[in-house]
Amino acid sequence: MRTEPAQSQSTFDFERYLAEKRALIEQELDIYLLAKEPKILWESIRYSVLEGGKRLRAILCLTTALAVIQEKLSADETLKAVLPCACAIEMIHAMSLMHDDLPSLDNDDLRRGKPTNHKVYGEAIALLAGDALLMLACETVLTRTPKTVDMETIVLVTNELCRATGADGMVGGRVYDLEFTGRVDQFRMQEGIASDTSTLELIHRGKTGALIKFSAWSGAKLMGASQNLLKGIDKFSEVLGLAFQIADDLLDVTGDANSLGKTPGKDQAANKVTWVTLFGEEETRNRLKHLEQEGLTALDNLDCAGESASALRRLLQYAIYRSN
Ligand code: GRG
């Protein structure tokens, strides 16, 4: 049971909430990514991390931290305690986009409305800048998280960040994605809807869901959330992760390059296995509506504080109905 009711949608200014949290995250990233030598490496890193992006994962991390009801820390101290982790998540996310855009993977020219990293700095630097970000993310959680959080929790959170990013998470999911690319027809002919769904979920849970789930879990964990709250947050964020990727697949067919900031129509062209390529647009929208309800129900069962409950609701809907 919630101790305070979720703020009504009309009194909660979600746009302002997003803008404030984004500003906080970007200020902090700017400090962590202070340019050094070699110049080209840091230029490439700063180009991909600092310029653009919704910051949804980092905001999710801050929001679940604020959702933990505790007397020890103020809201400002809570944000300070989780900002390093939120920024580390953005570093991992940015590096995954940089690597995903490389010619050996998606071979994209456009990202966040600008030329992709390798188009500006070359493939070798884009690859190496991504590698550097991967390590910098771990270093950031380990060395920048303040002493208000105990070291055992910091190490546990760093370990989970590695798991969510690696073979059991994002990298593994991307490999499944590669393996099934080009097999849309084979799917339709050989397997029923249920098995298509489970394969899609395998891809989505790894490629996109693992980092989103980590984002929600880590904020609450760093703030000492109870096992019960963490379990509830996991349930919610699993739905959010799936919905986020399905919405992304839908935008690939309904969006345009201007609003998306990236090239649309790539999934169809590559014959990728997505909800849209397997089931069509209408069924995809139905699935998103169903996931929205599932996510909202998961939130109703969470024991969390006022504004954060409203923010989590709105983050779910934003992930589903966004235009980029
Ligand atoms: C992690 C070592 C390592 C390598 C990367 C390439 C790869 C392995 C994984 C691909 C992960 C990927 C690109 C998944 C798609 C996730 C997705 C829908 C990204 C778009 O996220 P948004 O919309 O982007 O949040 P913005 O630009 O708003 O930040």
Side-chain angles (χ1 to χ4, degrees), residues 33-303:
L33 301 177
L34 210 61
K36 294 183 264 192
E37 297 291 336
K39 199 163 169 266
I40 189 162
L41 175 66
W42 286 95
E43 262 182 39
S44 159
I45 287 176
R46 289 179 63 87
Y47 179 81
S48 278
V49 184
L50 296 177
E51 293 182 31
K54 296 182 285 297
R55 313 293 183 204
L56 182 121
R57 294 159 188 78
I59 295 173
L60 186 60
C61 174
L62 300 186
T63 305
T64 57
L66 291 168
V68 178
I69 302 156
Q70 54 143 352
E71 280 92 48
K72 217 173 78 186
L73 299 180
S74 66
D76 275 355
E77 286 167 329
T78 299
L79 290 173
K80 274 203 187 103
V82 294
L83 265 170
C85 182
C87 291
I89 293 165
E90 282 299 315
M91 291 179 202
I92 299 273
H93 171 56
M95 73 72 54
S96 78
L97 300 179
M98 287 159 79
H99 281 192
D100 207 46
D101 291 335
L102 286 169
S104 54
L105 285 162
D106 268 359
N107 192 19
D108 255 310
D109 295 348
L110 193 66
R111 171 70 67 183
R112 294 174 171 170
K114 297 182 304 147
T116 44
N117 196 293
H118 66 274
K119 284 279 157 195
V120 180
Y121 298 98
E123 275 182 57
I125 292 297
L127 188 74
L128 292 167
D131 293 343
L133 274 170
L134 202 54
M135 302 321 295
L136 191 61
C138 295
E139 200 183 319
T140 299
V141 184
L142 287 169
T143 63
R144 302 266 188 176
T145 304
K147 300 276 177 292
T148 47
V149 182
D150 62 84
M151 194 34 98
E152 199 184 329
T153 305
I154 298 173
V155 171
L156 182 71
V157 165
T158 311
N159 185 50
E160 283 305 310
L161 177 61
C162 295
R163 274 171 50 80
T165 305
D168 290 338
M170 190 190 270
V171 174
R174 186 63 177 95
V175 172
Y176 284 126
D177 195 19
L178 274 181
E179 281 188 338
F180 287 103
T181 294
R183 291 171 57 187
V184 172
D185 294 338
Q186 207 176 332
F187 262 77
R188 281 195 190 119
M189 287 187 295
Q190 288 183 357
E191 294 173 39
I193 283 178
S195 56
D196 282 343
T197 304
S198 65
T199 303
L200 275 180
E201 290 194 355
L202 186 71
I203 298 170
H204 292 177
R205 271 182 215 288
K207 185 174 85 162
T208 309
L211 190 61
I212 289 183
K213 188 173 174 185
F214 171 81
S215 305
W217 174 85
S218 56
K221 181 69 191 172
L222 285 164
M223 284 303 104
S226 67
Q227 277 308 316
N228 200 33
L229 180 56
L230 290 171
K231 237 171 110 181
I233 287 176
D234 277 354
K235 212 166 171 181
F236 164 71
S237 62
E238 278 176 19
V239 175
L240 175 62
L242 283 181
F244 188 87
Q245 183 58 54
I246 294 175
D248 210 72
D249 294 343
L250 187 61
L251 284 171
D252 185 68
V253 288
T254 58
D256 59 84
N258 260 348
S259 57
L260 289 180
K262 60 182 179 183
T263 320
K266 295 219 53 161
D267 293 344
Q268 207 105 30
N271 204 16
K272 267 202 178 186
V273 173
T274 73
W275 263 89
V276 187
T277 56
L278 287 182
F279 305 118
E281 278 185 51
E282 196 187 334
E283 207 39 57
T284 302
R285 286 183 214 282
N286 290 341
R287 178 71 184 141
L288 283 172
K289 278 209 186 88
H290 180 84
L291 286 171
E292 181 184 2
Q293 276 321 307
E294 218 181 300
L296 292 177
T297 306
L299 279 180
D300 283 342
N301 296 326
L302 276 190
D303 180 19

